[in-house]
Amino acid sequence: MAEFNLNILGCGSALPTTRHLPTCQIIDLRDKLYMIDCGEGTQLQMRRMRIRFNRLNHIFISHLHGDHCFGLPGLLSTLGLLGRTGAITIHAAKEIKNYMDPILAVFCKGLPFEVKFNLINPHQHNLIMEDRSVNVYSIPLKHRIAACGFLFEEKPREAHIIRDMVDFYKVPVKKLKDIKQGDDFVTEDGEVIPNSRLTTPATPPKRYAYCSDTAFNPDMIPIIENVDLLYHEATFGEDEALRAKETFHSTAAQAAEIALRAKAKRLVIGHYSARYENISVLKEEADKIFPDTILALEGMVIPL
């Protein structure tokens, strides 16, 4: 079971190339899958990467540009062909209904599962989804249309039981859950055994921030501060800084500057413009500001 892995299915920008696919990522957290954006080719990439369709229950769409959502109709249709019965929830701005309702009515009639929509405000930082494993928050971005990123905050885990100590004090099985959650143990003789003697601290929860597409936007820094992993678009290099500004995108150097100011532990860049046949130049520019930047590539799996 994956503890917390990021799968890169596509990391190109709007113009399709043979080098990169449109944007899509899947978070694999405690054996649950959460999709972020769904560009064309998503379901084929899921096949190539051996990602199980039936574990996917939530899809987060950052904004309504085609390279981030044109894969949705095909994916939903395939889920129907595979016999899915459980509901799937799409988290996106209200405009998603204008796009998806006609498609569902014409091409996805009779799906054996319900498609739910959680309509979010991309201009606000809010908690938009919560389950037993994770809280997901919106991150307002700065793009040509309303767009938001997503912050995935893993929920705290339980402490680890020290098996030898539990056996030594003859702790009943029914008490283990309470001890994992911090309780002390009282023996039959009334002796209080401190929790610290029975457990080791839980693995610290991880945080992942996804920020694509956006112009340079320091306003996001308080939201993503100290994240374990930051994905930030780097559509252009410094040679196209003016183009980046005009199209509300970022350069690799600007992505690195955000990571540096936010004190992110690691940075992944992606959403490469089709003009860059060699994306190593983007890594070189980012490395000067934020060393050891990771270049996103299709098929990459990054453990948190």
Side-chain angles (χ1 to χ4, degrees), residues 6-9 24-27 34-36 208 210 231:
L6 174 66
N7 297 266
I8 307 292
L9 283 72
C24 182
Q25 300 183 2
I26 290 180
I27 289 173
Y34 308 85
M35 178 178 287
I36 309 173
Y208 170 62
Y210 170 90
Y231 173 87

Side-chain angles (χ1 to χ4, degrees), residues 165 168-169 171 179 183-187 190-198:
M165 298 303 290
F168 178 80
Y169 288 108
V171 179
I179 290 171
D183 284 2
D184 297 330
F185 173 64
V186 181
T187 68
E191 182 184 1
V192 177
I193 310 302
N195 186 271
S196 59
R197 197 181 298 173
L198 301 169

Side-chain angles (χ1 to χ4, degrees), residues 129-146:
M129 197 282 288
E130 178 181 9
D131 62 19
R132 288 181 298 175
S133 302
V134 68
N135 289 329
V136 184
Y137 298 87
S138 53
I139 307 171
L141 301 178
K142 188 178 180 181
H143 197 40
R144 285 171 291 167
I145 64 172

Side-chain angles (χ1 to χ4, degrees), residues 206-227:
K206 302 294 185 181
R207 299 169 69 237
Y208 170 62
Y210 170 90
C211 300
S212 180
D213 300 12
T214 184
F216 182 68
N217 182 23
D219 290 344
M220 72 173 70
I221 291 173
I223 299 173
I224 65 174
E225 196 167 19
N226 297 313
V227 292

Side-chain angles (χ1 to χ4, degrees), residues 71-100:
L72 263 178
L75 175 61
L76 295 176
S77 178
T78 295
L79 291 175
L81 292 173
L82 292 173
R84 181 190 182 95
T85 57
I88 194 160
T89 303
I90 299 172
H91 308 263
K94 62 182 180 180
E95 289 78 11
I96 191 72
K97 295 276 288 175
N98 298 336
Y99 167 48
M100 289 303 301

Side-chain angles (χ1 to χ4, degrees), residues 3-304:
E3 293 296 305
F4 197 149
N5 287 346
L6 174 66
N7 297 266
I8 307 292
L9 283 72
C11 54
S13 57
L15 188 64
T17 72
T18 56
R19 300 184 300 277
H20 298 293
L21 293 170
T23 300
C24 182
Q25 300 183 2
I26 290 180
I27 289 173
D28 190 345
L29 172 58
R30 304 186 197 177
D31 215 32
K32 299 174 186 174
L33 300 183
Y34 308 85
M35 178 178 287
I36 309 173
D37 283 337
C38 189
E40 293 175 272
T42 287
Q43 55 183 318
L44 294 178
Q45 281 295 86
M46 291 179 73
R47 293 288 194 196
R48 292 188 183 105
M49 297 178 69
R50 300 183 181 277
I51 296 172
R52 292 168 57 189
F53 287 74
N54 63 345
R55 289 169 51 204
L56 178 65
N57 294 310
H58 294 275
I59 301 174
F60 299 83
I61 302 297
S62 62
H63 63 294
L64 270 293
H65 276 161
D67 55 320
H68 295 258
C69 62
F70 279 171
L72 263 178
L75 175 61
L76 295 176
S77 178
T78 295
L79 291 175
L81 292 173
L82 292 173
R84 181 190 182 95
T85 57
I88 194 160
T89 303
I90 299 172
H91 308 263
K94 62 182 180 180
E95 289 78 11
I96 191 72
K97 295 276 288 175
N98 298 336
Y99 167 48
M100 289 303 301
D101 281 352
I103 290 173
L104 291 171
V106 175
F107 296 104
C108 298
K109 274 186 178 179
L111 284 178
F113 62 93
E114 181 183 4
V115 179
K116 297 181 177 180
F117 293 94
N118 175 31
L119 304 182
I120 62 180
N121 185 341
H123 303 290
Q124 295 180 357
H125 170 51
N126 291 320
L127 175 67
I128 59 174
M129 197 282 288
E130 178 181 9
D131 62 19
R132 288 181 298 175
S133 302
V134 68
N135 289 329
V136 184
Y137 298 87
S138 53
I139 307 171
L141 301 178
K142 188 178 180 181
H143 197 40
R144 285 171 291 167
I145 64 172
C148 69
F150 303 103
L151 174 65
F152 287 75
E153 288 192 347
E154 183 183 21
K155 289 191 173 179
R157 297 170 180 263
E158 295 178 334
H160 302 292
I161 291 290
I162 303 174
R163 180 55 56 184
D164 290 346
M165 298 303 290
V166 165
D167 291 344
F168 178 80
Y169 288 108
K170 297 182 173 58
V171 179
V173 172
K174 65 181 180 180
K175 294 287 186 181
L176 292 182
K177 182 173 179 60
D178 293 335
I179 290 171
K180 287 180 180 180
Q181 295 176 352
D183 284 2
D184 297 330
F185 173 64
V186 181
T187 68
E188 292 181 356
D189 298 329
E191 182 184 1
V192 177
I193 310 302
N195 186 271
S196 59
R197 197 181 298 173
L198 301 169
T199 65
T200 57
T203 305
K206 302 294 185 181
R207 299 169 69 237
Y208 170 62
Y210 170 90
C211 300
S212 180
D213 300 12
T214 184
F216 182 68
N217 182 23
D219 290 344
M220 72 173 70
I221 291 173
I223 299 173
I224 65 174
E225 196 167 19
N226 297 313
V227 292
D228 295 277
L229 182 65
L230 167 64
Y231 173 87
H232 195 291
E233 74 127 286
T235 307
F236 298 105
E238 286 304 294
D239 61 322
E240 294 286 351
L242 181 59
R243 177 68 175 160
K245 184 176 181 179
E246 291 172 345
T247 57
F248 288 84
H249 283 293
S250 294
T251 67
Q254 289 172 333
E257 182 65 26
I258 292 291
L260 181 67
R261 294 194 198 181
K263 303 182 184 66
K265 293 183 176 66
R266 289 186 293 167
L267 169 67
V268 184
I269 58 173
H271 200 264
Y272 314 120
S273 168
R275 71 193 65 204
Y276 295 100
E277 293 190 13
N278 182 3
I279 57 174
S280 63
V281 63
L282 301 176
K283 175 173 168 55
E284 290 169 5
E285 292 181 2
D287 277 340
K288 292 176 183 177
I289 298 169
F290 194 90
D292 300 320
T293 296
I294 302 168
L295 282 175
L297 294 171
E298 282 77 6
M300 181 179 283
V301 180
I302 304 172
L304 269 75

